[in-house]
Amino acid sequence: MDNLSDTLKKLKITAADRTDDSLEGCLDCLLQALTQNNMETSEKIQGSGILQVFASLLIPQSSCTAKVANVIAEIAKNEFMRIPCVDAGLISPLVQLLNSKDQEVLLQTGRALGNICYDSHEGRSAVDQAGGAQIVVDHLRSLCSKTDPASEKLLTVFCGMLMNYSNENDSLQAQLINMGVIPTLVKLLGIHCQNAALTEMCLVAFGNLAELESSKEQFASTNIAEELVKLFKKQIEHDKREMVFEVLAPLAENDAIKLQLVESGLVECLLEIVQQKVDSDKEEDIAELKTASDLMVLLLLGDESMQKLFEGGKGNVFQRVLSWIPSNNHQLQLAGALAIANFARNDGNCIHMVDNGIVEKLMDLLDRHVEDGNVTVQHAALSALRNLAIPVVNKAKMLSAGVTEAVLKFLKSEMPPVQFKLLGTLRMLIDAQAEAAEQLGKNVKLVERLVEWCEAKDHAGVMGESNRLLSALIRHSKSKDVIKTIVQSGGIKHLVTMATSEHVIMQNEALVALALIAALELGTAEKDLESAQLVQILHRLLADERSAPEIKYNSMVLICALMGSESLHKEVQDLAFLDVVSKLRSHENKSVAQQASLTEQRLAVES
């Protein structure tokens, strides 16, 4: 280290004289010291004030320039040296050197800038202001097709530099995307796929850029899907495959790229991995099985990619996914159920699957998870059943297969995601199915649980679905017994509150259910309607100009139905409904105007 102090002193003197030979000796000595103990040597360099001297040594004409850049690259490996390098004014001369024709100078300069940018806001900012990124992108473009070792080494360093420059920085990533770096990197990957270091750098750069939404369109216009699948097929080691996976996942969020990946044969690779890893208990194999099956499900989220893989329900992929559901592996059960939920996104697919026995498979799966089951599997299987229940022709088939009984086993679940899907599935099943709606509506346990969930303020989804199911039970059954069960369980106040929802569809469902209650069982529900202040709410809905036409229409229908109750009738009279209703006779919506005239007549007669 004493020797180092002497070297630093000598360097200051020789730098002033610009004698290249003795300068070179000093720089070799520094590089040697950095190799032996980088941190301590860097501290000494910082303390000596030599950094400012380096700025004057970074000149294109000097034979020592590459070594000076190498020293800077080495010291910038230390976090504490990056800001001092910026403060010493090294960035601007380094960026100037990017215009050099000397490959060694370019290599060391790229390393120096890359290391200064690593995890350093100040470093990145200085390189940005000096315009360094554009020069490097241009270099990548011009060197892209060269496959000699020196050019590949330089390409690897430049890729690394851009990665450090833009890592986790949205605006700098966007800048690189605007410079058109993506097509260049994709081309690089295709040409240099035999070079492991360069391939790895490209992948990390992709991973960096792929998170940004604006990058996806650029990626979609290249042959990235084909290149990644080609690369993926070559990888034998787990770590290398993992790297490709990390790029595939964010890219596969884009529908156009999903389709490209499917067409490039990614699905076959994923199915093969699943087959290879399914029985392994090695941690890395379990992780890879999860990644592969998750990615498979993600590919099915695109309409075109999903339909291509469904192949009218005859496709090999669809059949393989079906075989995951009865497996003993929870991850595969989950992926299988999620995949079915994704296939079940149009009526044709749903009808085909129900006709071919998918419901029984899903019910068997649910059965295996009733007691202390896996919540994610329960949630996924219920999602699939809910989607399958959407086409009208499937409802009766699913009801007779016993889906409601299978679903009701999860009534005691305390997990909001499971509760949410359970409610949605039941609501889909009873849509226009009077008998099923009546049967469920008389199930006291179910109705009591619904009333309890209508108060789940921490879970808006569960609360909304519970209200909607309560209303659906009345609307589809039109049954007095159902209404009585709901009144006895304390459900009326929730339906009245639902009429004030911010969602018009929910308001409407509530008003229709309340009108049926008033028409069929007004005497039973009278007290609850009164204490829930229904009349005051209806007055507000009619007076509010923002209320949708159907809300105004159904509110007036309900007012007329409430006149059969003495106490509610009195409330209507006290609130001067006539004024509000008469104004609606000139409403632009014909149905509202007609209903206003009828309601006005009814109010006038009854008063």
Side-chain angles (χ1 to χ4, degrees):
M1 278 299 155
D2 292 342
N3 192 9
L4 178 61
S5 303
D6 294 341
T7 302
L8 290 167
K9 279 180 199 157
K10 192 176 171 193
L11 189 58
K12 274 190 181 171
I13 299 160
T14 47
D17 299 344
R18 296 272 163 98
T19 44
D20 279 5
D21 290 350
S22 44
L23 199 54
E24 200 155 339
C26 292
L27 292 168
D28 285 338
C29 194
L30 276 189
L31 286 167
Q32 201 178 344
L34 283 162
T35 308
Q36 285 163 0
N37 190 333
N38 192 318
M39 198 177 204
E40 204 176 316
T41 306
S42 296
E43 282 169 351
K44 283 260 187 180
I45 289 173
Q46 191 188 358
S48 71
I50 199 86
L51 282 178
Q52 284 76 0
V53 175
F54 284 160
S56 65
L57 295 176
L58 290 167
I59 46 172
Q61 308 88 297
S62 167
S63 60
C64 298
T65 305
K67 277 189 180 158
V68 178
N70 189 358
V71 170
I72 297 168
E74 288 303 316
I75 61 177
K77 287 177 178 175
N78 300 289
E79 192 182 347
F80 66 87
M81 290 300 290
R82 289 171 200 148
I83 293 176
C85 284
V86 175
D87 293 343
L90 298 180
I91 302 298
S92 186
L94 281 168
V95 168
Q96 291 306 310
L97 287 175
L98 288 171
N99 296 307
S100 168
K101 298 280 181 279
D102 183 316
Q103 271 203 321
E104 185 60 20
V105 170
L106 286 174
L107 188 75
Q108 299 304 345
T109 304
R111 285 185 61 232
L113 288 169
N115 289 353
I116 292 169
C117 285
Y118 185 77
D119 238 354
S120 163
H121 169 70
E122 293 76 7
R124 291 167 181 179
S125 198
V127 173
D128 178 22
Q129 282 163 10
Q134 183 67 65
I135 305 172
V136 172
V137 171
D138 292 342
H139 273 306
L140 285 179
R141 212 168 277 141
S142 61
L143 286 167
C144 186
S145 307
K146 296 189 173 172
T147 53
D148 59 286
S151 296
E152 287 197 326
K153 199 171 176 187
L154 197 49
L155 284 166
T156 307
V157 165
F158 281 153
C159 274
M161 186 235 144
L162 289 181
M163 188 181 74
N164 287 354
Y165 170 72
S166 65
N167 188 32
E168 290 182 359
N169 184 312
D170 287 1
S171 64
L172 293 181
Q173 286 171 358
Q175 180 196 74
L176 292 180
I177 290 164
N178 292 335
M179 288 174 182
V181 76
I182 287 174
T184 306
L185 288 172
V186 175
K187 196 172 162 194
L188 261 182
L189 186 67
I191 295 170
H192 302 272
C193 55
Q194 303 304 328
N195 184 315
L198 185 47
T199 299
E200 215 161 289
M201 275 301 178
C202 280
L203 286 176
V204 180
F206 288 145
N208 235 339
L209 299 169
E211 297 293 341
L212 217 61
E213 214 34 60
S214 58
S215 74
K216 308 247 165 79
E217 279 177 29
Q218 271 213 28
F219 274 119
S221 65
T222 69
N223 63 335
I224 183 76
E226 193 187 321
E227 293 298 353
L228 286 175
V229 173
K230 216 189 303 176
L231 187 66
F232 189 77
K233 285 177 179 169
K234 274 190 216 157
Q235 306 309 324
I236 300 154
E237 292 164 50
H238 167 78
D239 294 349
K240 295 282 194 293
R241 278 211 291 244
E242 196 61 35
M243 281 191 83
V244 184
F245 269 139
E246 278 170 17
V247 180
L248 287 169
L251 285 179
E253 285 167 13
N254 175 282
D255 282 0
I257 299 176
K258 280 186 183 81
L259 187 60
Q260 291 167 11
L261 288 168
V262 167
E263 287 171 343
S264 301
L266 178 61
V267 174
E268 289 72 13
C269 299
L270 298 176
L271 289 172
E272 203 174 308
I273 287 176
V274 168
Q275 205 168 352
Q276 286 166 3
K277 311 291 178 186
V278 67
D279 297 321
S280 170
D281 47 14
K282 273 202 226 151
E283 213 168 291
E284 64 177 34
D285 288 348
I286 294 168
E288 198 164 350
L289 175 79
K290 179 178 174 6
T291 311
S293 53
D294 284 349
L295 187 50
M296 181 80 202
V297 171
L298 181 57
L299 292 175
L300 292 172
L301 275 172
D303 288 338
E304 281 188 85
S305 50
M306 177 272 287
Q307 214 46 49
K308 190 173 177 64
L309 294 171
F310 189 66
E311 291 183 70
K314 308 267 188 298
N316 168 43
V317 175
F318 174 65
Q319 296 302 330
R320 290 279 284 279
V321 167
L322 273 188
S323 72
W324 293 356
I325 295 173
S327 105
N328 290 320
N329 182 305
H330 281 187
Q331 175 56 36
L332 280 193
Q333 293 171 358
L334 170 64
L338 287 172
I340 297 303
N342 286 344
F343 279 126
R345 286 209 317 279
N346 64 50
D347 284 7
N349 292 4
C350 288
I351 293 164
H352 181 280
M353 287 192 278
V354 169
D355 287 347
N356 284 276
I358 189 64
V359 171
E360 289 70 17
K361 283 189 171 70
L362 288 167
M363 287 187 346
D364 287 347
L365 177 59
L366 275 175
D367 246 3
R368 295 161 70 181
H369 288 276
V370 175
E371 297 304 326
D372 308 320
N374 182 306
V375 173
T376 51
V377 175
Q378 293 171 358
H379 179 261
L382 289 167
S383 294
L385 286 171
R386 181 198 173 281
N387 288 1
L388 290 165
I390 293 171
V392 179
V393 293
N394 280 357
K395 296 180 197 295
K397 293 174 189 169
M398 290 175 73
L399 287 165
S400 61
V403 173
T404 38
E405 293 76 7
V407 169
L408 286 172
K409 290 176 186 170
F410 295 90
L411 252 192
K412 53 183 184 289
S413 171
E414 292 303 331
M415 306 306 283
V418 174
Q419 296 167 351
F420 180 72
K421 287 297 176 188
L422 172 151
L423 292 163
T425 308
L426 292 176
R427 189 165 63 79
M428 285 302 158
L429 281 169
I430 62 165
D431 190 8
Q433 306 295 310
E435 200 181 314
E438 180 163 14
Q439 202 180 344
L440 278 178
K442 292 192 292 193
N443 180 330
V444 178
K445 266 192 185 158
L446 169 65
V447 174
E448 284 177 350
R449 194 72 160 132
L450 291 184
V451 170
E452 183 190 325
W453 286 341
C454 282
E455 290 168 10
K457 298 218 169 10
D458 295 343
H459 302 288
V462 172
M463 196 162 92
E465 276 292 347
S466 302
N467 277 302
R468 293 190 76 185
L469 184 52
L470 264 188
S471 152
L473 291 169
I474 295 169
R475 288 182 298 110
H476 297 304
S477 71
K478 300 181 176 57
S479 149
K480 291 184 169 209
D481 289 339
V482 170
I483 294 169
K484 283 177 189 161
T485 308
I486 288 172
V487 172
Q488 281 154 14
S489 304
I492 296 298
K493 62 180 180 193
H494 296 300
L495 290 170
V496 174
T497 307
M498 183 181 167
T500 64
S501 163
E502 57 192 18
H503 304 291
V504 174
I505 192 164
M506 285 176 69
Q507 279 186 295
N508 219 18
E509 288 171 0
L511 291 168
V512 172
L514 288 164
L516 282 165
I517 291 169
L520 297 170
E521 274 298 325
L522 186 54
T524 313
E526 183 179 49
K527 278 196 172 58
D528 287 353
L529 293 171
E530 212 174 316
S531 62
Q533 299 192 312
L534 173 62
V535 173
Q536 290 82 338
I537 285 169
L538 292 173
H539 191 276
R540 276 211 308 275
L541 289 175
L542 288 171
D544 188 345
E545 287 176 4
R546 292 165 306 177
S547 294
E550 58 268 41
I551 300 304
K552 290 192 187 299
Y553 178 87
N554 282 323
S555 296
M556 289 188 281
V557 170
L558 182 47
I559 285 293
C560 294
L562 294 176
M563 303 300 267
S565 152
E566 204 175 312
S567 56
L568 291 167
H569 182 176
K570 187 176 181 314
E571 284 189 11
V572 171
Q573 283 178 317
D574 292 349
L575 270 174
F577 264 84
L578 262 172
D579 301 348
V580 187
V581 171
S582 59
K583 280 182 192 161
L584 292 173
R585 279 193 335 214
S586 55
H587 196 278
E588 57 187 3
N589 182 296
K590 277 200 182 119
S591 303
V592 172
Q594 280 172 341
Q595 187 58 41
S597 296
L598 291 171
T599 308
E600 190 181 33
Q601 287 166 23
R602 182 79 190 269
L603 288 169
V605 170
E606 299 282 350
S607 63

